C-alpha cells in the first residue's frame, strides 16, 4: 500500500477503497480558524452535541485580526467561549497561523485532520492525512461523525536529485502546478516519495503540501521518516512520531518524476497559481510591494533565509516590504537570535503572526502595483486592489527582490543559503487556552454581529427560475464570496455578505437574484476552486439559488453546496454551456423523482425550448441530504 491507502485503511468507517467510490473515515483531529470558525461552531451548536469527540480539536484566531470595528473581536470572543464550553483548545490571536502552529505543536503522523480551511493539507508535511472541508463537515467531525469523501486516486510524485542553492520548496510546488494545473489534482491525493524527499526538511515539505490545495487535490502527503522524527523531537514531542512509509511494492494511479536538480527559481504570474514561469524568463520587472509570510512560507527556516538576505541592506525606496512570521514560536525565536533586528534594520514592516495580506486583511498594494508574495493564491482582486498584479514566489526571491526593487533571481547572491534546523524550538504554549473540564458551566458570549445562518428547506418537486448569472472557467470562491478587510468581519452575518455574492463577476447579481426570487447559476469548469469557505454556498442559498449548473466543480465547494441543499449539476455535454444565456427561464420537473432514480437530471430551457441533460455525481447519502434540504436537516432527520 501507499501512504494514503495506509492511513485511510486505519481510519475507514464505511465504503470500499476503490478510487471514485464514496468512503467515510474517522477524524482524529480538527482545526478551525476564525473566518470559517464562527459558522462552524454555530453549526456545531445546532447539531447539539455537548462535547467534542475527537482526539484533539483546536480553534485558531489568525484571519480576522484587524479590528476596525467590534465585529471581529465579537467573533473571537464567541469562538473563545463556545470552544471552552465544548472541549476545544483555543489558540489566541497572536499565537500564529493555524497551519503553521498546528504543524509545530499538534499534528501527529498517521492521524487524520479535518480543517475548515483549504490549506489544512499542510499537515501532510509530517505524514498526516489532512483535509480541508466546509465548516459543517468539520462540525460533524467534532461531534464524532465520520467524514465522507470520494476515495481519491493517488499520484506518486517521485522526487529525484537535490535542489541547487537558492532554489526552494516553493519552486517544487510551482513546478507541480505548472505541470498539473489548478484542476489537475481534483479527486487525487498527491504523494511525494523518492530519494529527493530525504533532502527536504519538514517546513519545506509543508510548503509543498500546503500549496497542493492550489492543484485542487484532496490532500498531499509526505512520508513520516527520520526527518519528521527530528522535527518533532525539536518541538519537544518525539513521542508523537511514528514511521509511515509506502510499501516497497506500493502501487499508484498516476506517476510523475521531478528531478530537483533541474529546477530554477520560479514565480506564478497573475492571476493563477498555475501560470508559472522562471524568474529569468519573466525578467527584472519593477516591484512595488513584497509580502513575506502566510501558511505557505512563514516557518522559522524561511524567515532565517529572509533575514540573512536582508542583513546589512536597505529595502529599495520604491518597495514596501511586509513580513509576517507564521507563529509566535517563529517570531519569538527571531527576536531572541537577532534576526528580527536585521529585518527591522533593513526597513521591513513587521506584521503580527497572522494571515494578514494573504486574505486582504490590510496591506492592499497601490493601483496597478506589482506585488511579490510568498503566499499560495494570486487570484485577481484577492490582495484588496483589483488592478494589482500578484506574483507568487519563494521567500528567497521575495527578499532579494525587495532590496533590488526588481524581480531578481536569488542565485546571483554570493552567500550560503544553508540554515540549520534548530535542535530545539522555543516551546511556550501559553497562548493556547485549555477547554473547561466537562460539565463546567461556561457562558457563550454572542455579540450583535452573530446572526443565525440560513437553513434550506426540503427539495420541492419542481424547480423553476432564471439563469441569473453566467460565469467562465476557474471561478474561485474569492469571486463567489469575496473576502477582504471590509467583508471578513461579516462572516457570521450571511444576509449582509450575500449583498456581495459574485459581485467581482457581476455587481448586479445579488439584486437580480432577489428581484427574481432566486434561480440558477451557470458556470464553466473547476467552478468554486480555492477557499473552503461555506459562505460561497450559504450566500447563494440566502439569495434563493436552487442549482448551480457547470462544466465541472472543485471538490470542497461542491460538498458545501450539497451541505446547503443546493443541487450541483454538471453539463453532460460541455457544448450545452452555449445553449443557456443569461436570464433564460429554466425548469427542472419532478426533481425529487429524477434525483432518486439515477444520476441524470434534465434541465428544461423554456426560453429556448430545449432540454439540457446534466449529471449529478453524488452518493446515495448526498442524495438524501439534497432531498432533506442540506446536511443539518439530514442530520436532524437521522438522529
Ligand atoms: C483562504 O486562504 O482563502 C482562506 C481565507 O484561508 C480560506 C478560508 C476562508 O475563506 O475563510 C481557505 O483557504 O479555506
Ligand atoms: Fe491564511 Fe492565507 Fe493561509 Fe488562507 S492561505 S490560511 S488566508 S495564510
Amino acid at each position: 500500500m501507499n501512504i494514503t491507502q495506509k492511513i485511510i485503511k486505519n481510519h475507514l468507517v464505511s465504503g470500499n477503497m476503490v478510487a471514485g467510490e464514496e468512503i467515510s473515515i474517522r477524524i482524529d483531529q480538527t482545526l478551525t480558524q476564525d473566518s470559517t470558525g464562527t459558522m462552524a461552531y454555530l453549526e456545531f451548536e445546532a447539531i447539539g452535541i455537548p462535547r467534542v469527540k475527537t482526539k484533539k480539536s483546536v480553534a485558531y484566531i489568525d484571519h480576522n485580526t484587524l479590528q476596525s470595528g467590534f465585529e471581529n473581536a465579537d467573533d473571537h470572543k464567541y469562538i473563545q467561549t463556545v470552544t471552552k464550553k465544548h472541549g476545544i483548545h483555543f489558540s489566541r490571536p497572536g499565537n500564529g497561523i493555524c497551519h503553521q502552529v498546528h504543524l509545530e505543536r499538534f499534528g501527529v503522523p498517521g492521524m487524520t485532520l479535518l480543517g475548515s480551511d483549504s490549506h489544512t493539507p499542510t499537515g501532510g508535511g509530517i505524514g498526516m492525512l489532512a483535509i480541508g472541508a466546509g465548516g459543517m463537515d468539520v462540525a460533524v467531525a467534532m461531534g464524532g461523525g465520520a467524514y465522507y469523501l470520494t476515495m481519491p486516486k493517488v499520484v506518486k510524485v517521485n522526487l529525484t536529485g537535490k535542489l541547487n542553492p537558492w532554489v526552494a520548496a516553493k519552486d517544487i510546488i510551482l513546478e507541480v502546478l505548472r505541470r498539473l494545473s489548478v484542476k489537475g489534482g481534483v479527486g487525487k491525493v498527491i504523494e511525494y516519495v523518492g530519494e529527493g524527499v530525504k533532502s527536504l526538511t519538514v517546513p519545506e515539505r509543508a510548503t509543498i503540501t500546503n500549496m497542493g490545495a492550489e492543484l485542487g487535490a484532496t490532500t498531499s502527503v509526505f512520508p513520516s521518516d527520520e526527518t519528521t522524527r527530528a522535527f518533532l523531537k525539536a518541538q519537544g514531542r518525539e513521542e508523537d512520531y511514528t514511521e509511515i512509509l509506502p510499501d516497497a511494492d506500493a502501487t499508484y494511479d498516476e506517476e510523475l518524476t521531478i528531478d530537483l536538480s533541474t529546477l530554477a527559481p520560479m514565480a506564478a504570474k497573475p492571476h493563477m497559481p498555475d501560470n508559472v514561469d522562471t524568474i529569468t524568463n519573466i525578467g527584472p520587472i519593477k516591484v512595488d510591494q513584497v509580502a513575506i509570510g502566510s501558511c505557505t512560507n512563514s516557518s522559522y527556516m524561511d524567515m532565517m533565509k529572509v533575514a540573512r538576505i536582508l542583513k546589512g541592506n536597505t529595502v529599495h525606496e520604491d518597495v514596501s516590504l511586509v513580513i509576517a512570521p507564521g507563529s509566535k514560536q517563529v517570531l519569538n525565536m527571531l527576536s531572541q537570535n537577532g534576526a528580527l533586528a536585521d529585518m527591522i534594520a533593513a526597513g521591513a514592516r513587521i506584521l503580527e503572526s497572522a494571515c494578514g495580506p494573504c486574505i486582504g486583511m490590510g496591506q492592499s498594494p497601490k493601483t496597478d502595483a506589482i506585488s511579490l508574495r510568498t503566499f499560495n493564491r494570486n487570484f485577481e482582486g484577492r490582495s484588496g486592489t483589483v488592478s494589482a498584479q500578484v506574483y507568487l514566489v519563494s521567500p528567497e526571491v521575495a527578499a532579494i527582490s525587495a532590496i533590488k526593487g526588481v524581480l531578481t533571481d536569488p542565485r546571483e547572491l554570493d552567500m550560503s543559503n544553508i540554515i540549520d534546523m534548530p535542535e530545539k524550538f522555543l516551546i511556550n504554549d501559553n497562548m493556547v487556552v485549555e477547554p473547561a473540564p466537562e460539565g463546567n458551566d461556561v457562558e457563550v458570549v454572542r455579540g450583535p454581529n452573530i446572526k443565525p445562518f440560513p437553513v434550506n428547506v426540503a427539495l420541492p418537486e419542481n424547480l423553476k427560475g432564471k439563469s441569473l448569472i453566467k460565469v467562465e472557467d476557474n471561478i474561485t470562491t474569492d469571486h463567489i464570496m469575496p473576502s477582504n478587510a471590509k467583508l471578513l468581519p461579516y462572516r457570521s452575518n450571511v444576509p449582509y455578505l450575500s449583498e456581495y455574492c459574485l459581485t467581482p463577476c457581476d455587481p448586479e447579481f445579488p439584486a437580480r437574484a432577489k428581484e427574481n426570487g432566486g434561480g440558477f447559476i451557470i458556470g464553466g469548469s473547476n467552478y468554486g476552486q480555492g477557499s473552503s469557505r461555506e459562505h460561497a454556498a450559504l450566500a447563494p442559498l440566502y439569495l434563493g439559488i436552487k442549482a448551480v449548473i457547470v462544466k465541472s466543480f472543485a471538490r470542497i465547494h461542491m460538498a458545501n453546496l450539497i451541505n446547503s441543499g443546493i443541487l450541483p449539476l454538471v453539463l453532460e455535454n460541455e457544448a450545452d454551456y452555449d445553449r443557456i444565456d443569461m436570464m433564460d427561464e429554466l425548469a427542472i420537473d419532478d426533481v425529487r423523482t429524477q434525483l432518486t432514480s439515477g444520476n441524470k437530471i434534465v434541465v428544461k430551457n423554456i426560453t429556448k425550448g430545449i432540454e439540457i441533460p446534466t449529471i449529478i455525481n453524488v452518493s446515495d447519502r448526498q442524495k438524501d441530504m439534497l432531498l432533506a434540504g442540506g446536511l443539518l436537516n439530514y442530520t436532524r432527520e437521522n438522529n
Side-chain angles (χ1 to χ4, degrees):
M1 282 193 290
N2 54 49
I3 298 169
T4 311
Q5 290 164 336
K6 285 187 182 182
I7 305 181
I8 291 179
K9 182 159 181 262
N10 275 338
H11 292 84
L12 196 66
V13 175
S14 67
N16 296 320
M17 289 171 55
V18 175
E21 288 196 15
E22 187 182 66
I23 56 165
S24 70
I25 55 172
R26 192 167 30 79
I27 295 299
D28 298 318
Q29 297 189 341
T30 63
L31 71 76
T32 59
Q33 37 86 340
D34 48 332
S35 67
T36 54
T38 318
M39 200 51 78
Y41 294 110
L42 286 169
E43 289 160 343
F44 181 75
E45 287 186 299
I47 297 172
I49 291 174
R51 192 92 183 162
V52 285
K53 295 191 177 145
T54 44
K55 292 192 175 129
K56 181 151 273 158
S57 286
V58 190
Y60 294 90
I61 305 294
D62 54 1
H63 280 63
N64 296 353
T65 53
L66 285 186
Q67 291 160 224
S68 53
F70 63 88
E71 293 87 356
N72 288 340
D74 274 13
D75 283 3
H76 298 168
K77 198 49 164 185
Y78 165 69
I79 295 176
Q80 178 163 12
T81 49
V82 78
T83 52
K84 190 160 201 147
K85 178 169 175 158
H86 296 289
I88 300 140
H89 289 73
F90 177 73
S91 171
R92 294 165 60 187
N95 198 42
I97 305 175
C98 54
H99 309 303
Q100 175 66 25
V101 178
H102 207 85
L103 192 77
E104 291 168 355
R105 306 303 309 140
F106 301 114
V108 177
M111 281 198 183
T112 51
L113 167 68
L114 195 71
S116 66
D117 190 281
S118 64
H119 291 102
T120 304
T122 313
I126 51 168
M128 296 192 92
L129 195 80
I131 303 178
M136 180 68 95
D137 284 323
V138 177
V140 169
M142 286 192 285
Y147 175 63
Y148 287 80
L149 72 159
T150 307
M151 178 66 198
K153 286 187 176 166
V154 186
V155 181
K156 171 180 178 177
V157 180
N158 190 20
L159 300 180
T160 63
K162 232 178 140 211
L163 289 174
N164 285 313
W166 300 108
V167 184
K170 183 63 153 261
D171 301 312
I172 304 177
I173 186 62
L174 288 176
E175 172 66 9
V176 181
L177 274 153
R178 190 182 71 79
R179 293 206 205 171
L180 298 184
S181 91
V182 288
K183 49 184 182 187
V186 177
K188 300 173 188 169
V189 172
I190 316 292
E191 190 168 309
Y192 292 86
V193 295
E195 268 308 294
V197 165
K198 293 206 183 103
S199 63
L200 298 172
T201 63
V202 163
E204 287 175 316
R205 297 173 184 187
T207 293
I208 295 168
T209 54
N210 171 284
M211 215 173 156
E214 276 52 68
L215 296 162
T218 304
T219 189
S220 303
V221 68
F222 270 83
S224 170
D225 56 12
E226 283 308 312
T227 306
T228 321
R229 182 207 292 271
F231 175 81
L232 290 171
K233 186 168 177 217
Q235 290 286 355
R237 35 192 210 99
E238 195 179 358
E239 69 282 2
D240 287 340
Y241 173 73
T242 6
E243 183 182 74
I244 307 170
L245 305 175
D247 291 333
D249 57 352
T251 55
Y252 292 86
D253 298 292
E254 287 169 30
E255 205 169 316
L256 83 129
T257 298
I258 299 180
D259 178 354
L260 300 181
S261 66
T262 62
L263 298 183
M266 286 182 269
K269 297 181 287 181
H271 296 287
M272 271 301 146
D274 60 0
N275 190 14
V276 173
D277 205 345
T278 60
I279 302 294
T280 330
N281 282 348
I282 301 169
I285 48 172
K286 202 164 160 23
V287 172
D288 302 289
Q289 183 193 49
V290 175
I292 300 177
S294 93
C295 56
T296 318
N297 278 116
S298 60
S299 66
Y300 171 80
M301 308 289 279
D302 280 338
M303 291 293 150
M304 288 305 292
K305 286 183 190 156
V306 169
R308 182 175 290 176
I309 297 171
L310 292 180
K311 188 173 179 160
N313 287 301
T314 299
V315 175
H316 189 277
E317 67 178 73
D318 292 331
V319 177
S320 165
L321 168 65
V322 292
I323 302 181
S327 67
K328 168 167 161 283
Q329 179 182 79
V330 174
L331 183 55
N332 222 342
M333 287 175 73
L334 299 177
S335 73
Q336 287 190 356
N337 70 11
L340 185 63
D342 294 334
M343 292 174 168
I344 296 170
R349 303 166 64 183
I350 307 297
L351 304 178
E352 69 176 309
S353 295
C355 301
C358 179
I359 188 57
M361 262 286 155
Q363 302 300 332
S364 299
K366 75 172 181 63
T367 307
D368 298 334
I370 302 273
S371 176
L372 303 188
R373 298 175 163 221
T374 66
F375 307 167
N376 46 39
R377 291 186 173 142
N378 57 349
F379 304 147
E380 195 171 5
R382 182 174 160 101
S383 66
T385 304
V386 179
S387 66
Q389 308 283 314
V390 176
Y391 290 72
L392 305 174
V393 296
S394 68
E396 293 88 327
V397 171
I400 174 78
S401 304
I403 297 167
K404 303 276 184 191
V406 292
L407 183 66
T408 306
D409 189 323
R411 287 176 300 185
E412 68 180 53
L413 279 161
D414 186 20
M415 58 167 87
S416 154
N417 74 330
I418 304 199
I419 306 279
D420 291 328
M421 176 64 91
E423 274 180 21
K424 191 131 197 60
F425 287 94
L426 184 74
I427 296 158
N428 180 356
D429 292 328
N430 63 344
M431 294 293 275
V432 178
V433 182
E434 297 276 322
E438 202 160 351
N440 269 29
D441 200 21
V442 178
E443 191 211 337
V444 178
V445 182
R446 288 166 223 275
N449 191 40
I450 307 214
K451 299 272 186 287
F453 58 92
V455 180
N456 212 336
V457 291
L459 187 68
E461 207 43 72
N462 299 302
L463 297 176
K464 202 169 176 187
K466 295 215 159 89
S467 121
L468 295 167
I469 189 167
K470 187 173 173 185
V471 291
E472 288 145 26
D473 290 350
N474 288 325
I475 289 298
T476 72
T477 46
D478 277 331
H479 292 102
I480 307 170
M481 198 57 264
S483 281
N484 55 42
K486 293 186 191 102
L487 287 182
L488 276 164
Y490 299 98
R491 279 292 180 91
S492 40
N493 187 343
V494 174
Y496 182 86
L497 276 187
S498 69
E499 299 293 329
Y500 297 86
C501 182
L502 276 163
T503 49
C505 303
D506 179 352
E508 303 308 320
F509 170 73
R512 193 180 317 122
K514 279 190 182 159
E515 264 164 44
N516 288 279
F520 299 87
I521 292 174
I522 314 299
S525 61
N526 202 22
Y527 179 84
Q529 67 162 323
S531 151
S532 66
R533 62 191 70 144
E534 59 194 328
H535 307 77
L538 292 171
L541 168 63
Y542 185 79
L543 293 173
I545 297 302
K546 303 170 196 335
V548 180
I549 307 168
V550 300
K551 291 182 187 165
S552 70
F553 283 103
R555 178 185 68 91
I556 307 180
H557 183 60
M558 175 162 158
N560 285 338
L561 287 174
I562 298 168
N563 286 351
S564 290
I566 299 176
L567 294 176
L569 304 180
V570 175
L571 293 165
E572 193 171 347
N573 312 310
E574 287 201 356
D576 282 344
Y577 176 82
D578 297 325
R579 300 169 81 206
I580 310 176
D581 289 316
M582 269 266 294
M583 296 312 272
D584 279 357
E585 182 82 25
L586 307 180
I588 307 178
D589 297 337
D590 303 321
V591 59
R592 291 185 71 93
T593 323
Q594 290 199 58
L595 183 60
T596 22
S597 52
N599 70 342
K600 298 212 170 175
I601 305 265
V602 178
V603 178
K604 284 191 179 156
N605 187 333
I606 298 172
T607 310
K608 299 213 163 32
I610 51 173
E611 289 195 344
I612 294 181
T614 68
I615 308 277
I616 181 149
N617 203 352
V618 296
S619 66
D620 289 345
R621 178 182 153 273
Q622 288 175 317
K623 281 186 180 176
D624 288 341
M625 254 154 70
L626 287 165
L627 291 169
L631 180 54
L632 197 64
N633 293 332
Y634 169 83
T635 311
R636 283 182 180 144
E637 279 174 18
N638 288 281
N639 276 337

